[in-house]
Amino acid sequence: VISCKHVARLNVLHKHVYGINYISIKLLNMMKGGKSWGNGNSSENNNGVSKLGLVAAVVSVVVFLTLVFLTARMLVNVTDKAGKSVASASSTISSSVSFPGPPLLVSRGMSRVEEFISYSNCSLNFFLAWTTAGDNFILRYRRTIESTLKFHPTGCLTVYSPTLTLDHFQEFWDMGYNIIVERPDVPYLISGTPAEKWYEGIEEWRKGQYFFSHITEIIRLATLYKYGGVYLDTDVIVMQELYDLHNVVGTELAGARGESKVLNGAVLMFDKGSRFIYEAMVEFNTTYRIDSWGWNGPELVTRVAGRFPRGAELRILPTIGFYPIHWAKVAKYFTDEDPEDQHVVWEQMKKDTYLFHYWNKITKKLVPQPGSLMYKVLNNYCLLCEETGSDG
């Protein structure tokens, strides 16, 4: 099946060839009728037309053969087992295609997400943010990308980042997946939202040690409010399809009877214009603390949910949904310690866990040991599973 991307590229290619052929045929007709391009009938015009006609004939043959070659090549590449895009044809016509792919896109000072979503006909929108150095985006974080696309091949994934190159995920785009890197334009994202007021003090907020965490928080809230979809932290591995989840947040810590005590915003799934997300932005703006990481993050979601009615606009999942292993215990599951317990937890997660948040703040220096639960998670929900690294 030819995707929308390839149909668009074929259409543009045909339009270019049609235009050239039209001019060529016009010149040929002029040669046959002895007429000039305008209204003159002089012998000088006729001689000129004869020369033009000869050129037109040659051009027509070349254009026709080029059309056959490029069309055949494009169709062959479209049906390639790897699903790769036709690099040669797309580079030829890239200036005319409205949305050819990550390498040819530049930041406009405004969000391109609307165009990307509209162009790609996404089944589900996914958003991530990466605000630290691009070189730090190692294999385990790429597994977040891979696991998301594995279960949602027709979804759209936008990675907000001021540091990653626009073509950082070109390999996945060439495989047929919809993924771009977007330069975060925070003023544009938050325009018309309660977070606009908070941004007025941005120069002061930049001085805080948790600024990057806080700006990421506001990006996730504003993005979900504006577009709807799924926001994921980069220390998450997707383990199931997420299509059936709407207006959902997960429990990080439950009480003795399983009741939710602490929620977490590392994973948020909300519809466009969500009232809960709106209230979260109001809370962020009115209670912001420059000196606290948790107050504006996990605690923020917990506070807002505590006064928000459960129902269609807010559903809270138990810990097994997103946070099956608490941060205080997660280090063990990077080792081969207690294999029986790890096997039990692994089997339960395979059945009941939508995605696994592995608490990078605590585990970033840990290397998953072969046989450990984390090793299995990283290497069972991937696309390029043959690639390995020191981090997993």
Side-chain angles (χ1 to χ4, degrees):
V1 178
I2 301 176
S3 70
C4 293
K5 289 193 283 286
H6 299 115
V7 171
R9 291 170 183 173
L10 279 170
N11 287 340
V12 173
L13 178 61
H14 290 168
K15 287 177 182 178
H16 286 329
V17 173
Y18 175 81
I20 297 172
N21 272 335
Y22 175 80
I23 295 172
S24 301
I25 293 169
K26 182 79 173 177
L27 291 171
L28 282 170
N29 289 336
M30 288 163 46
M31 180 181 70
K32 292 176 181 177
K35 296 180 180 179
S36 67
W37 190 268
N39 297 320
N41 291 308
S42 67
S43 59
E44 182 178 350
N45 281 338
N46 289 338
N47 291 335
V49 168
S50 296
K51 293 178 182 179
L52 285 173
L54 180 60
V55 172
V58 174
V59 170
S60 294
V61 173
V62 172
V63 168
F64 176 76
L65 293 177
T66 301
L67 171 61
V68 172
F69 171 76
L70 290 178
T71 302
R73 182 166 183 176
M74 184 171 288
L75 290 174
V76 168
N77 284 335
V78 166
T79 56
D80 184 84
K81 290 182 180 179
K84 292 184 179 295
S85 301
V86 276
S88 58
S90 64
S91 63
T92 302
I93 62 172
S94 60
S95 61
S96 298
V97 180
S98 61
F99 209 90
L104 304 176
L105 299 175
V106 294
S107 179
R108 301 174 181 166
M110 288 177 61
S111 174
R112 294 174 291 109
V113 175
E114 293 96 335
E115 183 182 2
F116 174 51
I117 293 174
S118 174
Y119 172 86
S120 304
N121 193 27
C122 317
S123 58
L124 188 59
N125 302 324
F126 290 89
F127 303 93
L128 290 83
W130 183 264
T131 54
T132 54
D135 292 343
N136 293 337
F137 199 91
I138 54 178
L139 178 63
R140 69 171 61 175
Y141 308 133
R142 201 187 72 192
R143 290 290 198 245
T144 303
I145 303 294
E146 294 184 31
S147 63
T148 301
L149 297 176
K150 179 182 179 70
F151 288 103
H152 311 88
T154 57
C156 290
L157 203 162
T158 299
V159 181
Y160 285 110
S161 177
T163 56
L164 295 175
T165 60
L166 294 180
D167 63 348
H168 190 89
F169 301 108
Q170 177 69 36
E171 183 174 17
F172 297 108
W173 181 274
D174 289 342
M175 292 168 66
Y177 297 105
N178 300 312
I179 177 171
I180 62 168
V181 173
E182 167 72 329
R183 300 295 181 235
D185 188 336
V186 179
Y188 175 77
L189 275 175
I190 65 176
S191 61
T193 76
E196 233 176 348
K197 185 67 177 175
W198 173 83
Y199 197 78
E200 293 177 3
I202 192 67
E203 295 307 318
E204 178 65 23
W205 310 144
R206 288 183 192 277
K207 301 173 185 177
Q209 62 175 317
Y210 304 113
F211 173 72
F212 286 110
S213 294
H214 296 169
I215 198 70
T216 299
E217 184 70 30
I218 208 62
I219 287 174
R220 83 179 74 190
L221 294 174
T223 296
L224 289 179
Y225 186 75
K226 210 174 194 73
Y227 308 117
V230 182
Y231 179 90
L232 303 173
D233 272 1
T234 50
D235 54 347
V236 161
I237 302 295
V238 178
M239 298 177 65
Q240 291 188 40
E241 289 185 353
L242 306 176
Y243 292 117
D244 295 334
L245 296 180
H246 294 274
N247 301 320
V248 167
V249 65
T251 302
E252 172 188 322
L253 181 65
R257 294 175 294 178
E259 71 278 12
S260 299
K261 293 182 65 176
V262 178
L263 306 181
N264 194 300
V267 180
L268 296 171
M269 304 181 190
F270 284 89
D271 296 337
K272 180 179 179 179
S274 161
R275 194 162 62 92
F276 177 83
I277 294 297
Y278 184 91
E279 290 299 323
M281 286 190 286
V282 171
E283 179 74 10
F284 188 96
N285 176 52
T286 56
T287 68
Y288 180 72
R289 285 177 51 182
I290 193 174
D291 63 335
S292 174
W293 169 76
W295 178 261
N296 309 294
E299 296 175 41
L300 171 77
V301 177
T302 304
R303 291 197 306 275
V304 176
R307 60 176 183 263
F308 200 92
R310 306 292 188 272
E313 293 186 285
L314 177 63
R315 177 185 172 195
I316 299 178
L317 293 186
T319 54
I320 191 64
F322 299 158
Y323 311 99
I325 302 174
H326 191 260
W327 59 264
K329 300 178 180 179
V330 70
K332 166 186 170 180
Y333 296 93
F334 277 69
T335 73
D336 55 6
E337 175 188 341
D338 198 356
E340 290 186 8
D341 172 68
Q342 296 213 33
H343 177 72
V344 171
V345 176
W346 169 241
E347 290 299 320
Q348 184 182 11
M349 285 173 57
K350 285 195 296 182
K351 292 188 300 180
D352 301 325
T353 298
Y354 287 101
L355 49 83
F356 176 40
H357 181 257
Y358 57 84
W359 311 103
N360 186 65
K361 199 175 183 69
I362 294 168
T363 63
K364 61 183 176 181
K365 294 183 178 180
L366 301 179
V367 178
Q369 299 300 308
S372 67
L373 182 144
M374 187 60 190
Y375 188 88
K376 294 175 182 176
V377 169
L378 286 175
N379 293 286
N380 277 275
Y381 304 99
C382 43
L383 294 174
L384 305 174
C385 301
E386 70 280 0
E387 297 187 17
T388 59
S390 59
D391 60 318

